[in-house]
Amino acid sequence: MTVSIEHQGEVAIVTVDNPPVNALSQAVRQGLLDAVEALDADPSVKAVVLTCVGRTFIAGADVGEFGKPPMPPHLPDLVARIERAAKPWVAAILGSALGGGFEVALGCRFRVAVPSASVGLPEARLGIVPGAGGTVRLPRLTCVETAVDMVTTGRPLGARKAAEAGLIDAVIEDDLVAGSVAFARAALDRPLPDALRDRPAAAAAVGFWESAAKTVAARAKREEAPLRALACVRRAAEADFEAAIAFERETFLALRGSAQAVALRHVFFAERAATRPPELAGVTPRTIRSAAVIGGGTMGAGIAAAMRDAGLPVILIERDDGAVERGLANLRAIFDGAAKRGRMSSDVATERMAGVTGTADYAALADVDLVIEAVFEDLEVKREVFRRLAAVCRGDAILATNTSYLDPERIAEGISRPERFLGLHFFSPAHVMKLLEIVPTRASAPEVVAAGFALARMLNKIPVHAGICDGFIGNRILKVTRAQAERLLLSGATPADVDAAMRAFGLPMGPFEAQDLGGLDIAAFQRKAARTRGETPFAPIADRLCAIQRFGQKSGGGWYDYEPDDRTPRPSETVAAIITEEGKDWPRRDWDEATIIDSIVWPMVNEGARILEDGTALRASDIDLVKIHGYGFPRWRGGPMHYAQANGLDKVVEALSTFAGGGLADPPCDFLLQAALRGGFSDAPR
Ligand code: 3H9
């Protein structure tokens, strides 16, 4: 039974039971509608408590139903019916009341919640606006500032903050249902507050809407939903209830099938699927209750911070006492910075550091569950670390390397019990970036790989399984992007043209600005290594820049010139001259924004197809997650593989073939050609 009713004297308790998150499927909507009708008709009932079983209140509309024809009863009608019920309804909230779930709660006369609960309208994150009165009822319950913040950012409010904002009538410290029934009984003794539809909307200060529009537009960049949500709240504050509801519904329906909403839904499901890969179904992960990091540089400190944030005790190992002190200082700087920015209290920052032990003595690792190596990218240095780890750690401890480019198989060569080894590739800064590439070797045990995924869940990161190749998934595509960007320069575009086009596409930075920020030397070092392996990486201009020590911002110039203490990129005559020399035998063409974007993004997709073909990635959506969470690909475009499919793979094939004809890209690979014929990517053969 998805919706059930029980009675405690004059109070009826309506319980939704629709695992996993009590989403408002058609059956739940129908069950709730039937419940209102039945309870209105039951003279013994004076008040109703609405609650849920499981870990959460109703978490929203069923996102899986969005692509399908809507089925009655429709959610706005259900919320309106609860609001018009003859008896007052009390929403008893645990977990999250989100989207349609919070809209149902707004239809209730009262809302109470346990302290750990949260409420919110996250629809903008899915490329839509609330569709069941959320934007209209919210400013009738709280101030316009709070309403605008909630609907345009999608950020939920915890129960106590929600209570301060007037969204929750009481925080129930003890048993939720008993407390809610007592609340309902007490409410019956007092005059009932008006339903939200009958209350006036909060007033806005002069100039509020104009300044809100500027703030929201700046934050949303090219995402459509936040500004549309703002327009809905404004209409709610300025028009009557019915007109505002109609406006919100119209906006919701217009956005529901939009390219951005489809892309954001794709990412929503891809992110959730990523934490539970089907190939590990039924595998019990090894337990991780303590961890250690080898190396206290930027990466090691970031990884240690992420693990402390998740509550794991951490041992930080460095070469000698001086290096231990520097590593601890790096870690302390992360927590102090978070405290300074108000992200954590200074007490919490102190507690985080208290859980870290710094030492140069490997013997301290005798009982840890997980060790992550984050030392210099040098095969011999890393091998030596693992030789020492294999000697001191428990036989079932997980040993992980954070290498970005080296072959984990070679790093692990010769260690005892190689089934405990795997690659865990974090992205810098590791305590911030969401992506975690999980790179098993042939010997890695399934429960060790599953522990990598479990760790990602603990650290609130997005795990993606990556096979072993140069650069794994993300950096392998990055290499293609960079080579492609150089081809554009050789054939007539400037670095500024390319960067501007990619920013217009939605990336936070263009490929040349990004290289100047990160430094050109790391990629040069990797190209050198690739050449010693007999490969021929393509970077004629970057190689010339590195030869004259133009490594980017840190050396005062790279692809651009920089003034001292100023990060503004300025076109460089030196670079222009090198481009002209290197490009003298290349056909020149006029590049416009759209063609620049196509000639960067479609080769990424082509490489993504090769990555699927050779099994480095198991799912096209995994490649999307890598690019979104590790490289700033706009989420609202759904990642490169989704974006390509949404545009039509036949169009991608045609464009790549044209570029290839002019020597400006590799031709489409077989896997892409086949996917275009099939009309979409399917998973790699396993
Ligand atoms: C909306 O409400 C529109 C209305 O305004 C208008 C309508 C007219 N639907 O995240 P988890 C699945 S828009 C369907 O790992 P957690 C999820 O795919 C909606 N499925 O759990 C996963 O499935 P599986 C606004 C959903 O405990 C499983 O539940 N609401 C939905 O870490 C567990 O998910 C939102 O955007 C859904 N709405 O976190 C809320 N939600 O096991 C989105 C989840 O098969 N949800 N699933 O892989 C969340 O933020 C989190 O799921 C929540 C729990 C915080 C609730």
Side-chain angles (χ1 to χ4, degrees), residues 341-423:
R341 283 192 300 277
R343 298 232 171 97
M344 62 175 63
S345 68
S346 55
D347 285 353
V348 172
T350 307
E351 178 272 329
R352 295 283 200 274
M353 277 313 289
V356 184
T357 310
T359 176
D361 183 2
Y362 273 58
L365 304 178
D367 201 34
V368 288
D369 295 327
L370 164 72
V371 186
I372 301 179
E373 163 279 311
V375 304
F376 186 64
E377 283 282 274
D378 179 285
L379 186 61
E380 280 317 315
V381 175
K382 287 186 190 276
R383 278 182 164 168
E384 174 57 20
V385 166
F386 282 99
R387 267 195 292 272
R388 294 179 71 182
L389 290 176
V392 296
C393 291
R394 274 193 343 251
D396 64 343
I398 299 163
L399 307 183
T401 173
N402 174 56
T403 186
S404 321
Y405 280 96
L406 297 174
D407 181 346
E409 296 277 6
R410 299 200 60 202
I411 296 174
E413 259 165 26
I415 68 164
S416 59
R417 309 195 61 170
E419 74 282 356
R420 58 183 160 162
F421 180 91
L422 86 169

Side-chain angles (χ1 to χ4, degrees), residues 19-94:
V21 294
N22 293 312
L24 285 156
S25 62
Q26 193 278 338
V28 172
R29 298 195 302 274
Q30 188 64 55
L32 285 172
L33 193 62
D34 293 346
V36 200
E37 298 296 348
L39 296 171
D40 266 7
D42 184 341
S44 70
V45 173
K46 298 279 183 289
V48 181
V49 166
L50 169 62
T51 193
C52 296
V53 291
R55 60 182 194 259
T56 182
F57 192 76
I58 302 165
D62 187 337
V63 179
E65 282 186 359
F66 281 3
K68 303 176 188 151
M71 300 257 288
H74 302 298
L75 191 58
D77 301 332
L78 171 65
V79 174
R81 182 65 189 88
I82 292 175
E83 192 171 46
R84 283 199 317 274
K87 334 273 164 84
W89 280 50
V90 179
I93 301 171
L94 72 161

Side-chain angles (χ1 to χ4, degrees), residues 20-21 55 59-63 99-100 103 122-123 126 130-131 268 272 276:
V21 294
R55 60 182 194 259
D62 187 337
V63 179
E103 290 175 301
E123 283 86 344
L126 290 166
F268 174 89
R272 276 156 183 86
R276 288 180 284 270

